[in-house]
Amino acid sequence: VESMYEYGSRVGFWRLHKLFTERNVPITVNAVALALELNPEAVAAMVEAKWELSTHGYRWVDYHGMPEATEREYMRKAIDIHVRLTGQRPLGSFLGRRSENTVRLVAEEGGFVYTQDSYADEVPYWIVESGKPLLVVPYTADVNDHRFATSPGFDWGGPFFEYLRDAFDTLYNEGQDDPRMMQIGLHNRLVGRPGRIGHLRRFVDQPGGALAQRRA
């Protein structure tokens, strides 16, 4: 299983990097701090591409039940590594497997603009945590390539493309009246496979799509 993550850094990342840089698509990368340390070439490529790097924690572990002091120390380590390797601190935080203390610790740290540890909406919203305003930019579990690894999920790239397309069409049409946002969750080791990335490329390049219009 561990080697699947290594595939993501060896192969999948570079396929996604090529796709997004060639099309000048700005993206946010949720980066695990230890993974950044182990992949300096990828860090340099992301910095050069001017991608936003949000923190995905110090390590990819389940933070549920973790002692608060340990989680706070992990957060400090993640920020320090991020600054050392990229030249700037992360403004966003997304642990994925958060604890009951995570959002409060993000607010108390003081340097974060937003958290993604929520599935509660489709558009960003403000909360007050520890007496401070904090922007929540909800993550998505359905418009997400992790469904290649879950059941029920996507068997191959075609259903993934169709789901992306249908979600985009709905949100684009609703956006004529109310603000809407579409977020797509991607993982190097999953959509970076040769039999899948073509359908992501197809979505990015679809005629009339917002990304195609942006590059026109």
Side-chain angles (χ1 to χ4, degrees):
V1 173
E2 187 67 25
S3 65
M4 292 178 63
Y5 289 85
E6 187 175 356
Y7 175 91
S9 61
R10 285 177 176 271
V11 183
F13 169 80
W14 297 106
R15 284 203 176 107
L16 288 170
H17 180 268
K18 178 179 175 63
L19 170 63
F20 292 130
T21 54
E22 286 185 346
R23 288 154 177 79
N24 193 31
V25 177
I27 66 169
T28 293
V29 176
N30 295 317
V32 175
L34 282 182
L36 291 178
E37 283 194 313
L38 293 172
N39 295 277
E41 291 183 358
V43 174
M46 291 186 286
V47 171
E48 182 179 3
K50 295 182 170 55
W51 290 356
E52 182 199 7
L53 273 73
S54 167
T55 183
H56 206 19
Y58 173 55
R59 299 178 59 195
W60 177 238
V61 296
D62 190 349
Y63 287 79
H64 179 71
M66 179 179 287
E68 181 175 332
T70 302
E71 184 174 354
R72 193 186 299 273
E73 177 64 12
Y74 272 26
M75 181 181 295
R76 185 194 64 77
K77 286 183 177 180
I79 295 170
D80 289 348
I81 291 171
H82 201 109
V83 171
R84 172 165 52 83
L85 296 180
T86 71
Q88 56 187 356
R89 65 152 291 135
L91 299 180
S93 174
F94 174 58
L95 292 186
R97 295 184 287 181
R98 53 166 284 191
S99 77
E100 63 274 21
N101 301 311
T102 297
V103 175
R104 175 174 54 82
L105 292 176
V106 168
E108 290 178 355
E109 194 277 332
F112 289 107
V113 174
Y114 68 91
T115 176
Q116 285 194 280
D117 275 304
S118 172
Y119 299 91
D121 209 321
E122 293 179 342
V123 294
Y125 60 93
W126 290 95
I127 62 173
V128 175
E129 182 63 56
S130 299
K132 301 176 182 179
L134 182 65
L135 184 65
V136 179
V137 181
Y139 193 57
T140 176
D142 65 317
V143 190
N144 195 308
D145 70 352
H146 83 91
R147 294 180 59 194
F148 284 119
T150 62
S151 180
F154 304 126
D155 292 330
W156 62 292
F160 180 51
F161 166 77
E162 291 176 2
Y163 199 92
L164 294 176
R165 180 200 60 201
D166 292 350
F168 177 88
D169 288 348
T170 296
L171 295 171
Y172 185 84
N173 290 331
E174 290 180 353
Q176 307 303 311
D177 300 313
D178 297 294
R180 288 292 184 264
M181 180 185 77
M182 180 175 176
Q183 184 170 172
I184 305 172
L186 302 174
H187 301 79
N188 298 334
R189 71 187 187 280
L190 297 176
V191 78
R193 295 284 176 173
R196 297 168 179 167
I197 196 166
H199 286 86
L200 175 62
R201 184 181 300 111
R202 179 182 172 194
F203 173 75
V204 172
D205 291 341
Q206 64 178 323
L211 296 179
Q213 292 176 16
R214 181 185 181 276
R215 296 193 305 275

mmCIF file of all heavy atoms in Angstrom, residues 88-113:
data_model
loop_
_atom_site.group_PDB
_atom_site.id
_atom_site.type_symbol
_atom_site.label_atom_id
_atom_site.label_comp_id
_atom_site.label_asym_id
_atom_site.label_seq_id
_atom_site.Cartn_x
_atom_site.Cartn_y
_atom_site.Cartn_z
ATOM 1 N N GLN A 88 7.218 30.613 2.243
ATOM 2 C CA GLN A 88 6.077 31.307 2.825
ATOM 3 C C GLN A 88 5.229 30.335 3.632
ATOM 4 O O GLN A 88 5.242 29.134 3.384
ATOM 5 C CB GLN A 88 5.233 31.963 1.742
ATOM 6 C CG GLN A 88 4.744 31.026 0.667
ATOM 7 C CD GLN A 88 4.060 31.763 -0.464
ATOM 8 O OE1 GLN A 88 3.888 32.970 -0.427
ATOM 9 N NE2 GLN A 88 3.674 31.040 -1.497
ATOM 10 N N ARG A 89 4.499 30.882 4.588
ATOM 11 C CA ARG A 89 3.688 30.031 5.453
ATOM 12 C C ARG A 89 2.389 29.655 4.739
ATOM 13 O O ARG A 89 1.905 30.381 3.870
ATOM 14 C CB ARG A 89 3.365 30.723 6.774
ATOM 15 C CG ARG A 89 2.483 31.956 6.675
ATOM 16 C CD ARG A 89 1.674 32.153 7.959
ATOM 17 N NE ARG A 89 0.680 31.114 8.112
ATOM 18 C CZ ARG A 89 0.438 30.469 9.256
ATOM 19 N NH1 ARG A 89 1.101 30.771 10.346
ATOM 20 N NH2 ARG A 89 -0.485 29.522 9.312
ATOM 21 N N PRO A 90 1.799 28.516 5.087
ATOM 22 C CA PRO A 90 0.508 28.146 4.497
ATOM 23 C C PRO A 90 -0.615 29.004 5.069
ATOM 24 O O PRO A 90 -0.626 29.311 6.260
ATOM 25 C CB PRO A 90 0.339 26.682 4.920
ATOM 26 C CG PRO A 90 1.119 26.564 6.201
ATOM 27 C CD PRO A 90 2.298 27.493 6.033
ATOM 28 N N LEU A 91 -1.540 29.384 4.214
ATOM 29 C CA LEU A 91 -2.689 30.181 4.645
ATOM 30 C C LEU A 91 -3.927 29.326 4.858
ATOM 31 O O LEU A 91 -4.891 29.771 5.481
ATOM 32 C CB LEU A 91 -2.991 31.275 3.618
ATOM 33 C CG LEU A 91 -1.873 32.285 3.382
ATOM 34 C CD1 LEU A 91 -2.296 33.321 2.350
ATOM 35 C CD2 LEU A 91 -1.472 32.969 4.687
ATOM 36 N N GLY A 92 -3.913 28.106 4.318
ATOM 37 C CA GLY A 92 -5.036 27.195 4.476
ATOM 38 C C GLY A 92 -4.622 25.933 5.194
ATOM 39 O O GLY A 92 -3.440 25.552 5.196
ATOM 40 N N SER A 93 -5.605 25.265 5.819
ATOM 41 C CA SER A 93 -5.330 24.035 6.555
ATOM 42 C C SER A 93 -6.435 23.016 6.276
ATOM 43 O O SER A 93 -7.620 23.347 6.315
ATOM 44 C CB SER A 93 -5.280 24.309 8.060
ATOM 45 O OG SER A 93 -5.149 23.095 8.798
ATOM 46 N N PHE A 94 -6.016 21.781 5.982
ATOM 47 C CA PHE A 94 -6.965 20.688 5.791
ATOM 48 C C PHE A 94 -6.303 19.391 6.237
ATOM 49 O O PHE A 94 -5.370 18.916 5.609
ATOM 50 C CB PHE A 94 -7.387 20.588 4.320
ATOM 51 C CG PHE A 94 -8.256 19.391 4.024
ATOM 52 C CD1 PHE A 94 -9.443 19.199 4.691
ATOM 53 C CD2 PHE A 94 -7.872 18.455 3.069
ATOM 54 C CE1 PHE A 94 -10.249 18.096 4.426
ATOM 55 C CE2 PHE A 94 -8.667 17.345 2.787
ATOM 56 C CZ PHE A 94 -9.861 17.167 3.470
ATOM 57 N N LEU A 95 -6.788 18.837 7.350
ATOM 58 C CA LEU A 95 -6.221 17.587 7.848
ATOM 59 C C LEU A 95 -6.939 16.379 7.264
ATOM 60 O O LEU A 95 -6.345 15.332 7.077
ATOM 61 C CB LEU A 95 -6.278 17.528 9.376
ATOM 62 C CG LEU A 95 -5.379 18.508 10.126
ATOM 63 C CD1 LEU A 95 -5.439 18.223 11.625
ATOM 64 C CD2 LEU A 95 -3.938 18.442 9.632
ATOM 65 N N GLY A 96 -8.217 16.500 6.999
ATOM 66 C CA GLY A 96 -8.973 15.373 6.463
ATOM 67 C C GLY A 96 -9.488 14.453 7.549
ATOM 68 O O GLY A 96 -10.683 14.211 7.660
ATOM 69 N N ARG A 97 -8.590 13.943 8.352
ATOM 70 C CA ARG A 97 -8.985 13.095 9.480
ATOM 71 C C ARG A 97 -8.764 13.898 10.764
ATOM 72 O O ARG A 97 -7.881 13.625 11.565
ATOM 73 C CB ARG A 97 -8.174 11.795 9.464
ATOM 74 C CG ARG A 97 -8.480 10.938 8.231
ATOM 75 C CD ARG A 97 -7.757 9.613 8.240
ATOM 76 N NE ARG A 97 -6.332 9.751 7.980
ATOM 77 C CZ ARG A 97 -5.497 8.715 7.916
ATOM 78 N NH1 ARG A 97 -5.958 7.492 8.119
ATOM 79 N NH2 ARG A 97 -4.220 8.899 7.665
ATOM 80 N N ARG A 98 -9.590 14.904 10.935
ATOM 81 C CA ARG A 98 -9.430 15.903 11.995
ATOM 82 C C ARG A 98 -9.867 15.368 13.353
ATOM 83 O O ARG A 98 -10.566 14.365 13.471
ATOM 84 C CB ARG A 98 -10.256 17.136 11.668
ATOM 85 C CG ARG A 98 -11.701 16.848 11.363
ATOM 86 C CD ARG A 98 -12.558 18.084 11.363
ATOM 87 N NE ARG A 98 -12.845 18.558 12.699
ATOM 88 C CZ ARG A 98 -13.741 19.506 12.981
ATOM 89 N NH1 ARG A 98 -14.413 20.085 12.007
ATOM 90 N NH2 ARG A 98 -13.956 19.876 14.217
ATOM 91 N N SER A 99 -9.427 16.086 14.383
ATOM 92 C CA SER A 99 -9.869 15.806 15.737
ATOM 93 C C SER A 99 -10.952 16.805 16.131
ATOM 94 O O SER A 99 -11.291 17.714 15.365
ATOM 95 C CB SER A 99 -8.693 15.929 16.711
ATOM 96 O OG SER A 99 -8.394 17.304 16.968
ATOM 97 N N GLU A 100 -11.481 16.661 17.318
ATOM 98 C CA GLU A 100 -12.469 17.617 17.825
ATOM 99 C C GLU A 100 -11.831 18.966 18.128
ATOM 100 O O GLU A 100 -12.541 19.968 18.310
ATOM 101 C CB GLU A 100 -13.157 17.069 19.078
ATOM 102 C CG GLU A 100 -12.241 16.839 20.264
ATOM 103 C CD GLU A 100 -11.544 15.491 20.269
ATOM 104 O OE1 GLU A 100 -11.436 14.858 19.192
ATOM 105 O OE2 GLU A 100 -11.089 15.067 21.351
ATOM 106 N N ASN A 101 -10.491 19.023 18.147
ATOM 107 C CA ASN A 101 -9.793 20.274 18.467
ATOM 108 C C ASN A 101 -9.254 21.004 17.232
ATOM 109 O O ASN A 101 -8.818 22.151 17.335
ATOM 110 C CB ASN A 101 -8.600 19.977 19.397
ATOM 111 C CG ASN A 101 -9.017 19.322 20.691
ATOM 112 O OD1 ASN A 101 -9.939 19.781 21.361
ATOM 113 N ND2 ASN A 101 -8.346 18.239 21.052
ATOM 114 N N THR A 102 -9.270 20.364 16.064
ATOM 115 C CA THR A 102 -8.537 20.858 14.906
ATOM 116 C C THR A 102 -8.913 22.274 14.507
ATOM 117 O O THR A 102 -8.045 23.149 14.372
ATOM 118 C CB THR A 102 -8.733 19.914 13.707
ATOM 119 O OG1 THR A 102 -8.183 18.632 14.027
ATOM 120 C CG2 THR A 102 -8.045 20.462 12.468
ATOM 121 N N VAL A 103 -10.192 22.536 14.285
ATOM 122 C CA VAL A 103 -10.610 23.850 13.797
ATOM 123 C C VAL A 103 -10.279 24.926 14.822
ATOM 124 O O VAL A 103 -9.817 26.026 14.470
ATOM 125 C CB VAL A 103 -12.111 23.853 13.445
ATOM 126 C CG1 VAL A 103 -12.566 25.263 13.064
ATOM 127 C CG2 VAL A 103 -12.384 22.892 12.293
ATOM 128 N N ARG A 104 -10.460 24.625 16.094
ATOM 129 C CA ARG A 104 -10.112 25.604 17.131
ATOM 130 C C ARG A 104 -8.613 25.885 17.127
ATOM 131 O O ARG A 104 -8.196 27.055 17.244
ATOM 132 C CB ARG A 104 -10.553 25.088 18.505
ATOM 133 C CG ARG A 104 -10.121 26.009 19.664
ATOM 134 C CD ARG A 104 -10.687 25.544 20.984
ATOM 135 N NE ARG A 104 -10.368 24.161 21.284
ATOM 136 C CZ ARG A 104 -9.212 23.764 21.805
ATOM 137 N NH1 ARG A 104 -8.243 24.659 22.061
ATOM 138 N NH2 ARG A 104 -8.992 22.495 22.064
ATOM 139 N N LEU A 105 -7.790 24.870 16.988
ATOM 140 C CA LEU A 105 -6.347 25.072 16.968
ATOM 141 C C LEU A 105 -5.921 25.890 15.753
ATOM 142 O O LEU A 105 -5.007 26.714 15.837
ATOM 143 C CB LEU A 105 -5.622 23.723 16.971
ATOM 144 C CG LEU A 105 -5.739 22.903 18.258
ATOM 145 C CD1 LEU A 105 -5.071 21.547 18.095
ATOM 146 C CD2 LEU A 105 -5.145 23.652 19.443
ATOM 147 N N VAL A 106 -6.575 25.670 14.610
ATOM 148 C CA VAL A 106 -6.285 26.467 13.414
ATOM 149 C C VAL A 106 -6.582 27.938 13.687
ATOM 150 O O VAL A 106 -5.793 28.830 13.334
ATOM 151 C CB VAL A 106 -7.113 25.959 12.217
ATOM 152 C CG1 VAL A 106 -7.053 26.946 11.053
ATOM 153 C CG2 VAL A 106 -6.601 24.602 11.760
ATOM 154 N N ALA A 107 -7.716 28.209 14.330
ATOM 155 C CA ALA A 107 -8.078 29.595 14.633
ATOM 156 C C ALA A 107 -7.121 30.206 15.650
ATOM 157 O O ALA A 107 -6.688 31.354 15.504
ATOM 158 C CB ALA A 107 -9.514 29.663 15.151
ATOM 159 N N GLU A 108 -6.759 29.443 16.665
ATOM 160 C CA GLU A 108 -5.893 29.968 17.715
ATOM 161 C C GLU A 108 -4.481 30.227 17.207
ATOM 162 O O GLU A 108 -3.799 31.129 17.722
ATOM 163 C CB GLU A 108 -5.856 28.985 18.892
ATOM 164 C CG GLU A 108 -7.155 28.913 19.677
ATOM 165 C CD GLU A 108 -7.125 27.905 20.802
ATOM 166 O OE1 GLU A 108 -6.100 27.172 20.918
ATOM 167 O OE2 GLU A 108 -8.094 27.826 21.562
ATOM 168 N N GLU A 109 -4.038 29.465 16.223
ATOM 169 C CA GLU A 109 -2.682 29.658 15.704
ATOM 170 C C GLU A 109 -2.495 31.055 15.143
ATOM 171 O O GLU A 109 -1.416 31.647 15.257
ATOM 172 C CB GLU A 109 -2.392 28.600 14.629
ATOM 173 C CG GLU A 109 -0.939 28.452 14.241
ATOM 174 C CD GLU A 109 -0.497 29.481 13.204
ATOM 175 O OE1 GLU A 109 -1.360 29.920 12.421
ATOM 176 O OE2 GLU A 109 0.691 29.850 13.195
ATOM 177 N N GLY A 110 -3.546 31.605 14.532
ATOM 178 C CA GLY A 110 -3.550 33.017 14.172
ATOM 179 C C GLY A 110 -3.074 33.370 12.789
ATOM 180 O O GLY A 110 -3.348 34.469 12.307
ATOM 181 N N GLY A 111 -2.379 32.446 12.118
ATOM 182 C CA GLY A 111 -1.832 32.791 10.810
ATOM 183 C C GLY A 111 -2.599 32.221 9.633
ATOM 184 O O GLY A 111 -2.275 32.515 8.482
ATOM 185 N N PHE A 112 -3.608 31.413 9.906
ATOM 186 C CA PHE A 112 -4.383 30.802 8.837
ATOM 187 C C PHE A 112 -5.553 31.686 8.435
ATOM 188 O O PHE A 112 -6.197 32.310 9.280
ATOM 189 C CB PHE A 112 -4.911 29.426 9.253
ATOM 190 C CG PHE A 112 -3.855 28.370 9.362
ATOM 191 C CD1 PHE A 112 -3.443 27.908 10.608
ATOM 192 C CD2 PHE A 112 -3.261 27.844 8.230
ATOM 193 C CE1 PHE A 112 -2.470 26.930 10.716
ATOM 194 C CE2 PHE A 112 -2.278 26.868 8.326
ATOM 195 C CZ PHE A 112 -1.879 26.405 9.568
ATOM 196 N N VAL A 113 -5.834 31.707 7.135
ATOM 197 C CA VAL A 113 -6.977 32.450 6.619
ATOM 198 C C VAL A 113 -8.203 31.549 6.552
ATOM 199 O O VAL A 113 -9.325 32.001 6.769
ATOM 200 C CB VAL A 113 -6.665 33.026 5.223
ATOM 201 C CG1 VAL A 113 -7.901 33.670 4.603
ATOM 202 C CG2 VAL A 113 -5.525 34.025 5.310
#
